Amino acid sequence: MALKVFISGKFYDKDDAKISVFDHGLLYGDGVFEGIRSYAGKVFRMQQHMDRLWDSAKAIRLTIPMSKDEMAAAIEETLRVNGIEDGYIRVVVTRGAGTLGLDPNHCSDPRVIIITDHISLYPKELYDQGLELITVSTIRNHPAALSPRIKSLNYLNNILAKIEGFQAGCSEALMLNQQGEVTECTGDNIFLVRKGELLTPPKEAGILEGITRDAVIELACESGISVREIPLTKHDVYIADECFLTGTAAEVVPVVKVDSRPIGDGTPGPITRDLMAKFHRLARNHRA
Ligand code: PMP
């Protein structure tokens, strides 16, 4: 059966799921999106994803043409018609078709697109052995120019960093901000462990406030591990005992090398492994 894609109220077969070439989502990256997971047919942290999508849309002055409840129902329906239980969901809201000029006022009809598919995670070895990062020269978008807190369709900043990472043989790339502080990776947030404490950059550093990041902070607090959101530099990364990344697709993934330097003893650390297991359980036992 062909995968069905939801576009503004109707389902289309994958090959017929099309939008206008005049859509400003295509012409200018003018739109917002979310990446969401479902586990055993239940969407993980639906409310948080809806809130972030609506906040992103508000920040770019885009009105989503449905309510959060309607969007949540459409996501569940898209999973159902595709028979997907453990899946990845991509929600995209574009500015809609307009003229060739930038003016969003000429765009009348924002498109709501929901695509679901089976999830492809990093290979299992990366969870067992940890991955390697490189700090790239592409600076994370300046928050005063285009806030990384907006999950916009314009991901070129991240793509340029990803290309640099791949060129160096790394599957993720660490991005700094204009002050040389650690921000995040191209599609994941970063955490360090130092002397038993969890450290992660604050939102002011210029990051997407990840939903997995929030969940991991909650899990750490519940386990009595102190968590501090503080500015971090490459130095903090190099002297950390442990390092890991969080993201909807990746969940929690250990990092064992950064810029060719081993982190800690060069293997996934105990706090990382504990939080990986706790997140795995949380995601799979959640009740919406
Ligand atoms: N940072 C960026 C730039 C991202 O694209 C993502 C993935 N959405 C994340 C962090 C992780 O966020 P989340 O845990 O909500 O997936």
Side-chain angles (χ1 to χ4, degrees):
M1 187 194 75
L3 200 72
K4 302 269 188 219
V5 176
F6 175 100
I7 305 179
S8 297
K10 288 202 190 112
F11 286 100
Y12 299 85
D13 284 348
K14 187 179 169 188
D15 290 343
D16 300 324
K18 294 176 181 153
I19 62 161
S20 167
V21 294
F22 290 95
D23 195 304
H24 281 207
L26 173 71
L27 290 176
Y28 297 117
D30 186 356
V32 292
F33 78 102
E34 275 300 317
I36 310 175
R37 283 285 288 277
S38 76
Y39 297 93
K42 286 242 172 240
V43 174
F44 183 65
R45 304 230 156 164
M46 176 77 95
Q47 193 58 48
Q48 287 91 328
H49 282 285
M50 294 302 98
D51 290 346
R52 187 169 69 182
L53 184 65
W54 258 257
D55 287 347
S56 293
K58 192 169 188 187
I60 70 161
R61 306 190 73 164
L62 169 64
T63 304
I64 298 178
M66 53 166 67
S67 68
K68 290 183 187 177
D69 285 348
E70 285 164 348
M71 179 72 85
I75 290 169
E76 272 155 8
E77 180 68 359
T78 309
L79 284 169
R80 202 188 55 73
V81 301
N82 285 296
I84 292 181
E85 297 258 298
D86 291 296
Y88 179 83
I89 303 137
R90 172 60 54 89
V91 179
V92 178
V93 186
T94 71
R95 184 76 68 180
T99 58
L100 290 181
L102 284 178
D103 189 352
N105 295 315
H106 293 303
C107 304
S108 49
D109 199 9
R111 302 270 90 187
V112 175
I113 302 163
I114 306 171
I115 310 167
T116 59
D117 211 343
H118 294 283
I119 183 78
S120 67
L121 286 173
Y122 287 125
K124 188 178 177 302
E125 310 86 78
L126 281 185
Y127 291 88
D128 296 338
Q129 289 159 24
L131 57 80
E132 178 175 356
L133 300 182
I134 182 145
T135 312
V136 291
S137 69
T138 305
I139 294 298
R140 189 77 178 101
N141 279 336
H142 192 298
L146 175 59
S147 174
R149 293 173 70 185
I150 303 172
K151 202 162 165 60
S152 89
L153 289 182
N154 196 317
Y155 250 49
L156 267 181
N157 182 224
N158 313 53
I159 290 164
L160 293 179
K162 190 101 187 166
I163 291 169
E164 272 191 83
F166 279 144
Q167 267 165 355
C170 294
S171 43
E172 252 297 11
L174 179 59
M175 302 176 81
L176 306 177
N177 67 15
Q178 64 289 346
Q179 270 139 6
E181 295 163 351
V182 170
T183 61
E184 59 183 339
C185 289
T186 65
D188 300 300
N189 292 110
I190 187 165
F191 283 85
L192 305 177
V193 178
R194 170 89 171 153
K195 297 190 165 81
E197 205 179 32
L198 222 54
L199 307 174
T200 196
K203 61 177 184 294
E204 296 76 26
I207 60 166
L208 183 78
E209 291 152 282
I211 285 160
T212 322
R213 175 183 180 272
D214 282 348
V216 164
I217 291 174
E218 283 166 28
L219 287 172
C221 292
E222 281 163 21
S223 316
I225 300 171
S226 125
V227 183
R228 280 195 296 149
E229 295 175 57
I230 50 161
L232 298 168
T233 63
K234 275 202 296 188
H235 179 76
D236 295 301
V237 179
Y238 296 157
I239 64 167
D241 301 321
E242 301 181 32
C243 177
F244 63 85
L245 308 182
T246 62
T248 290
E251 300 192 356
V252 178
V253 57
V255 172
V256 292
K257 227 182 213 188
V258 179
D259 300 340
S260 306
R261 301 160 183 248
I263 301 300
D265 67 1
T267 65
I271 294 184
T272 303
R273 280 189 276 113
D274 184 49
L275 288 169
M276 278 170 76
K278 287 199 165 104
F279 183 81
H280 196 269
R281 274 201 298 278
L282 172 75
R284 283 153 185 85
N285 295 329
H286 74 105
R287 290 285 164 270

